[in-house]
Structures are given as structure tokens and as C-alpha cells.
Amino acid sequence: MFVTDRFVYLHLPKTGGTFVASVLARIHARRGDAVETIWVDPAHPPALPPISRGRAARIMLTTRNQHGTRRDIPPLYADRPVLATIRNPYERYVSQYEFAWWRHQPDMFGPIDDVRRRYPSFPALSFEDYLDLANSALLPFRESVASDDSPGMHTQQFLEYFFRDPHSAFARLLAGTLSADDAARELTGLRLLNQCRLNDDLAAALDEMGYAADEVDTVRRAARVWPPEGGRALDAPWERYYSKETMAMVARKERWLFEWIPEFRTLARALSSCVE
């Protein structure tokens, strides 16, 4: 996470967080602010410095590196507004597939021999193979893997990262008692920036928080920041990765997330004709 005197930014993986942290560090360093990196073991949290005017910090968790959840925000900074980035589930699955962590961490899906029994060509995986593995081996709440209609990885991660009590919320989601209004209440105090227009959304947020006009302009004009490990080529639209079957699978598995985020809901409706 990235902490300033005005807000906390949470980095949900594969949503443009590398760009956000980079441009924030650049802006604060250009001011002459002290921008430090602080490593925190959540089991033994250290005494943290106050982050006031003239300072900013990357808080890196020993358990998740830069990917802290809302519950991981240190109490000292918990009174600040929270920014986070989101990405439409269809595109985010593609980004994760192309990132292919398993080529460097082959046991991320579980024992390699077990994975190879299911997918003999592993680590070479088709996109459909990855969707299947992501929605079984990578779920935050593993008890839901039995049903094809159970919540998908992105819906579960959204709960894990942004809800104050994700385990309780997940139980209610499975029971059918977690409404869109309940989700909206959970997200109070959280401002979601859409990765598809990240420069403009981040610039607007900083403008409202009193950042200088030249700093806001820096964000609007900033070039894309590529993670050092690479990613999907710009000329590879995410739509090309999907068949009708895999598109229908994502629509079904992530239907809660599509309901909770109005922009995603609009996208899902626009794509519904592709899967009928």
C-alpha cells in the first residue's frame, strides 16, 4: 500500500497499482518529501511513523509485499480515505494469464505432480486451463470450490481486499443474504479507480484532495508503467482470448462483482448477447 498525509492507496494485483505507486512516489519526491519504504510483519507490527505533510511511504507486508488489504491498513492511518484500483474481470483474467506467475512459481497451484496429472502440458496452459485452475487452486475461500456456480476468484478477492469482515461477508454471500446495498455500505470510505482510464481517475481524485495543478497534470500525462516481469502486448485485445463458453463462465462466476460495480454491470449486459 502507499500512504500519504491525505489517503491510503491499496494495490489489488493486476489492476494498475504499479503505475499508481510509481507516479505517487514521483510526485512526492519532486516536492522534496521523504518517500520511504517500510516493511511490516503483520504478526509483529512495528511502531510506525506518523505520515504527515512532507512524508509518504510504501508499506510492504512480509506476507503480501505491496498487496495489503483494507484490514491491513495500520491503525495509525486508518482514518484516511482509501483509494484502490479495479479492472473488469474479463480483462483481469487475461492479464493474469499473460503474467504467468506459475512459470517462476510452479507450485502456486499446488503440488506440481498433481497439477501435471490434470494438465500434462503444464507449465504450458491454455487460457481455459488457467481459468479452471484460478477458480479452484487460487481462491481465498476454498470451501466454495465444489460448485460451478460458486463465487469466482475475483469476487472472492474483492471481498478479501476491501470488506471489513470478509469471512462473514462470504458466508452471507453463499447464503444469498448479502445484497448490493450491503456491499455498498461495506465500501463506504473507499474510492475505486477504474484501470481502463486510470490516469484520469487518479488525476481527478488527487485534484479533489488538493494536489497542485501541475501534479494533477503529471498524472494525466504519465506513461504506462510496465511491471518488470512484463505483461500482455497492447495489440492483444482481451476479447480474443474468450470463447462463448469461457465468457459465460466468467459472467456466472463473477456475477456478484458485476452487480456491485455499476460500470461492470453495464459491461456484462453489453456482452450478454455474446454468450446467448
Side-chain angles (χ1 to χ4, degrees):
M1 66 186 75
F2 197 98
V3 181
T4 77
D5 62 316
R6 304 180 194 190
F7 63 88
V8 176
Y9 170 73
L10 296 179
H11 180 182
L12 180 67
K14 305 309 296 172
T15 62
T18 300
F19 166 84
V20 174
S22 175
V23 75
L24 288 174
R26 192 187 326 159
I27 286 172
H28 282 271
R30 193 170 64 189
R31 288 181 181 179
D33 293 351
V35 181
E36 56 191 314
T37 298
I38 303 172
W39 284 89
V40 172
D41 178 354
H44 306 284
L48 294 169
I51 304 297
S52 55
R53 187 170 179 83
R55 298 185 76 168
R58 281 189 175 98
I59 306 293
M60 306 288 282
L61 304 182
T62 56
T63 51
R64 300 173 187 264
N65 289 342
Q66 73 266 37
H67 300 300
T69 73
R70 199 171 183 183
R71 290 167 293 122
D72 293 319
I73 297 174
L76 187 60
Y77 317 130
D79 61 339
R80 302 175 196 200
V82 180
L83 303 183
T85 37
I86 54 172
R87 191 174 194 172
N88 97 62
Y90 293 106
E91 184 173 13
R92 189 165 173 244
Y93 273 121
V94 171
S95 180
Q96 291 166 327
Y97 172 67
E98 287 294 347
F99 202 72
W101 291 282
W102 62 87
R103 295 188 182 277
H104 307 287
Q105 302 174 45
D107 58 350
M108 65 179 285
F109 296 119
I112 297 172
D113 289 344
D114 292 348
V115 176
R116 284 206 173 111
R117 273 191 285 272
R118 293 175 63 188
Y119 304 98
S121 63
F122 183 82
L125 293 172
S126 69
F127 181 59
E128 185 174 2
D129 292 341
Y130 172 72
L131 285 177
D132 181 50
L133 278 166
N135 282 285
S136 55
L138 302 184
L139 296 176
F141 305 100
R142 296 293 180 83
E143 61 266 36
S144 72
V145 301
S147 169
D148 286 343
D149 290 330
S150 61
M153 181 178 72
H154 292 172
T155 296
Q156 294 199 26
Q157 275 193 343
F158 193 84
L159 289 172
E160 180 193 23
Y161 269 73
F162 302 135
F163 279 48
R164 294 176 179 86
D165 186 350
H167 288 275
S168 173
F170 185 70
R172 292 175 61 200
L173 186 148
L174 290 183
T177 60
L178 183 70
S179 70
D181 288 340
D182 293 329
R185 282 189 289 272
E186 282 278 350
L187 301 179
T188 300
L190 176 66
R191 179 165 180 162
L192 299 175
L193 315 176
N194 196 321
Q195 187 269 347
C196 71
R197 52 168 192 278
L198 189 47
N199 292 61
D200 287 341
D201 276 12
L202 179 59
L206 297 187
D207 185 40
E208 291 176 23
M209 291 182 183
Y211 278 64
D214 65 314
E215 295 172 338
V216 172
D217 188 54
T218 293
V219 174
R220 292 195 191 281
R221 295 184 291 103
R224 179 173 180 173
V225 175
W226 289 87
E229 299 88 346
R232 185 172 103 252
L234 290 175
D235 60 353
W238 61 262
E239 293 90 342
R240 294 182 185 176
Y241 289 74
Y242 283 90
S243 63
K244 286 186 176 182
E245 291 73 24
T246 53
M247 191 169 283
M249 173 190 174
V250 171
R252 183 177 67 253
K253 301 288 284 184
E254 309 298 350
R255 60 189 182 275
W256 294 274
L257 197 52
F258 287 125
E259 178 185 5
W260 297 337
I261 311 244
E263 290 180 89
F264 292 174
R265 189 186 316 143
T266 300
L267 172 68
R269 288 171 179 166
L271 292 173
S272 62
S273 60
C274 298
V275 299
E276 292 176 351

